[in-house]
């Protein structure tokens, strides 16, 4: 929860700098599709024969998004969905349990991306996302006695997003946040308005 | 394994901040203010180094905030007082300057491996001498190091060095010829020397070179060539000889697309770099901009005839919040070799780039660094950084 609060506090602080006269009060709607780069970190726990070790996994991949967003005056909201795939690897273990085949694991991810944002100007949105991610990473090891656990297929977090509207049709998004302590999530995208 | 990888990653980041400390000297982001070329504000047509009178005036009346200054004092008055000695008109040919930059940073705050350091990163005296029309300009920039260092690779630590020493000649209205010691002409050259788009290209803090540069600056495009003889004070095996070229074309209002090429070699290595870049001022958000640069980096080791070709990407947003205050976000990716087995390095720097007072810059940022490789995974590295820059 503290992550969400922190993002909202940042937004409230940044909203102090906004130009209050810049926007009409009617509700505007926007639909975009996008291509995105995703990078994130997650904690992993491995166990074998009663011994435990903890490490992390890094995932890197690309995704496509579809999003509807609405704005009224200086504030807006949106809801997007994402499908992504890429590769993951594990590491950072202390060595008390051997996990030899940590390498390239494909992942598939589906996400819901609700967001709220503040329109700093006509071309700049500063927002907060609460990504809800369903991802599948097959950590099955050749060592059948080894168990690899992460928190399960569903994860949620909070990210701070900068969205630049380069033209009426094109947007760049940059979002950084976390799924948990030490579990950072990056999300960079190029969106096209339909 | 955890200890080795984590320490190497964290120490690498620490050292990159310590020895390639970011020196912000030119702001290509200011295309957001409609300043599309560096020569508007700098004696060096490609930015960096001393500001000219116009640059000092712009800094005073448009870029920097003006707290504690009465509203009855107009911005034009601040511009008039932006010289070396406020309110004193020095002879037209004489333009001295002073710069100080202090850097504090802390790696992995809250961790037991955390390291913290403050140092005087830049203590600089600069001097520009020129005729009234600035057809002939001489620039010298002298730096005092915060500690003795062997920056030339000769095994002889030095206390100070010349960062710039050149003559600039303007031919007609659009052609500039520079001869002497100055920064290599390549790419955007973002404000952070530690960025991949600088440090991995060979555009670091001590990577100036002697040579001759020629720039042709048309209203909507410019093109430059830099013949490099290597930095003559460096050990001979570190003197990169070759050339670079860069050009930008204005494809829209406050929007410039560019490309750069550099090929240099020493007795030991050969370097080839190619990049494309884009600088985009957001017209509906004055002062805000988006820049990106992407390219390839090829390093050849002559002894083994081994060549590695990698890639880099930098995307930087500067969001103007109010006069003197900006939100800065820089995302970078580096891959030493373009192949799936080569680790991907990522860095995201987020924070504030501010000019809270006249002649003052203060920066507060946090950098999150990631490393992704096929067969392993490392925890993130973090660096919190504060930087004070006073320019007189």
């Amino acid at each position: 929860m503290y992550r969400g609060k922190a993002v909202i506090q940042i937004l409230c602080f940044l909203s102090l700098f906004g130009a209050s006269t810049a926007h009409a009060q009617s509700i505007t709607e926007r639909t975009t599709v996008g291509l995105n780069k995703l990078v994130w970190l997650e904690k992993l726990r491995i166990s074998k024969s009663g011994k435990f070790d903890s490490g992390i996994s890094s995932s890197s991949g690309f995704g496509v998004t579809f999003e509807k967003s609405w704005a009224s005056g200086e504030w807006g909201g949106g809801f997007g969905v994402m499908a992504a795939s890429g590769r993951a690897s594990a590491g950072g273990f202390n060595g008390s349990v051997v996990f030899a085949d940590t390498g390239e694991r494909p992942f598939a991810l589906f996400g819901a991306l609700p967001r709220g944002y503040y329109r700093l100007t006509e071309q700049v949105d500063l927002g907060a996302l609460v990504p809800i991610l369903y991802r599948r990473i097959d950590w099955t090891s050749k060592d059948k006695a080894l168990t690899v656990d992460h928190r399960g297929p569903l994860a949620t977090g909070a990210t701070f997003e900068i969205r630049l509207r380069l033209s009426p049709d094109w947007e760049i998004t940059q979002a950084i946040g976390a799924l948990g302590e030490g579990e950072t999530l990056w999300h960079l995208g190029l969106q096209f308005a339909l | 394994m955890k200890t080795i990888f984590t320490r190497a990653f964290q120490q690498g980041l620490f050292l990159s901040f310590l020895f390639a400390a970011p020196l912000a000297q030119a702001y290509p982001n200011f295309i957001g203010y409609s300043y599309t070329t560096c020569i508007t504000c700098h004696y060096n047509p490609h930015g960096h180094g001393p500001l000219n009178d116009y640059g000092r005036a712009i800094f005073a009346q448009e870029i920097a905030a003006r707290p504690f200054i009465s509203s009855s004092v107009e911005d034009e008055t601040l511009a008039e007082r932006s010289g070396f000695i406020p309110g004193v008109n020095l002879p037209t040919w004489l333009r001295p300057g002073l710069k100080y930059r202090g850097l504090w940073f802390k790696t992995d705050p809250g961790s037991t491996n955390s390291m913290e350091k403050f140092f005087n990163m830049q203590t600089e005296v600069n001097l520009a001498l020129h005729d009234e029309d600035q057809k002939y300009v001489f620039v010298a920039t002298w730096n005092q190091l915060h500690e003795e260092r062997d920056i030339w690779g000769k095994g002889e630590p030095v206390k100070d060095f010349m960062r710039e020493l050149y003559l600039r000649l303007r031919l007609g209205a659009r052609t500039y010829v520079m001869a002497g010691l100055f920064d290599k002409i390549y790419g955007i050259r973002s404000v952070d020397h530690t960025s991949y788009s600088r440090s991995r290209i060979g555009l670091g803090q001590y990577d100036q070179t002697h040579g001759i540069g020629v720039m042709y600056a048309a209203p909507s495009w410019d093109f430059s060539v830099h013949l490099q003889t290597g930095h003559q004070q460096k050990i001979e095996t570190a003197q990169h000889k070759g050339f670079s070229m860069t050009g930008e074309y204005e494809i829209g209002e406050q929007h410039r697309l560019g490309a750069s090429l550099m090929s240099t070699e020493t007795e030991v290595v050969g370097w080839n770099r190619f990049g494309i870049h884009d600088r985009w001022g957001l017209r509906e958000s004055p002062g805000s901009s988006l820049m990106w640069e992407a390219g390839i980096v090829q390093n050849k080791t002559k002894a083994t005839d081994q060549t590695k070709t990698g890639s880099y990407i930098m995307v930087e947003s500067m969001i103007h919040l109010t006069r003197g205050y900006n939100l800065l976000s820089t995302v970078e990716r580096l891959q030493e070799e373009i192949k799936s087995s080569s680790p991907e390095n990522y860095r995201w720097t987020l924070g504030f780039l501010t000019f809270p007072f006249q002649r003052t810059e203060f920066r507060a940022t946090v950098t999150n660094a990631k490393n992704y490789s096929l067969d392993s995974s490392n925890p993130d590295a973090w660096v919190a950084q504060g930087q004070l820059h006073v320019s007189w």
Side-chain angles (χ1 to χ4, degrees), chain A residues 58 87 89 102 123 174 184, chain B residues 284 317 370 373 375 377 380:
Chain A
S58 298
R87 323 171 285 182
S89 61
T102 55
Q123 287 186 281
Q174 303 164 57
T184 47
Chain B
E284 302 296 326
S317 311
K370 291 179 178 299
S373 66
D375 53 1
S377 182
D380 284 357

Side-chain angles (χ1 to χ4, degrees), chain A residues 12-43:
Chain A
C12 289
F13 172 69
L14 294 172
S15 73
L16 297 174
F17 298 101
S20 59
T21 57
H23 319 293
Q25 292 301 308
S26 60
I27 294 177
T28 56
E29 190 178 310
R30 192 172 170 83
T31 305
T32 56
V33 290
L35 180 65
N36 299 267
K37 173 74 179 176
L38 273 177
V39 189
W40 82 91
L41 219 65
E42 285 185 77
K43 287 176 183 166

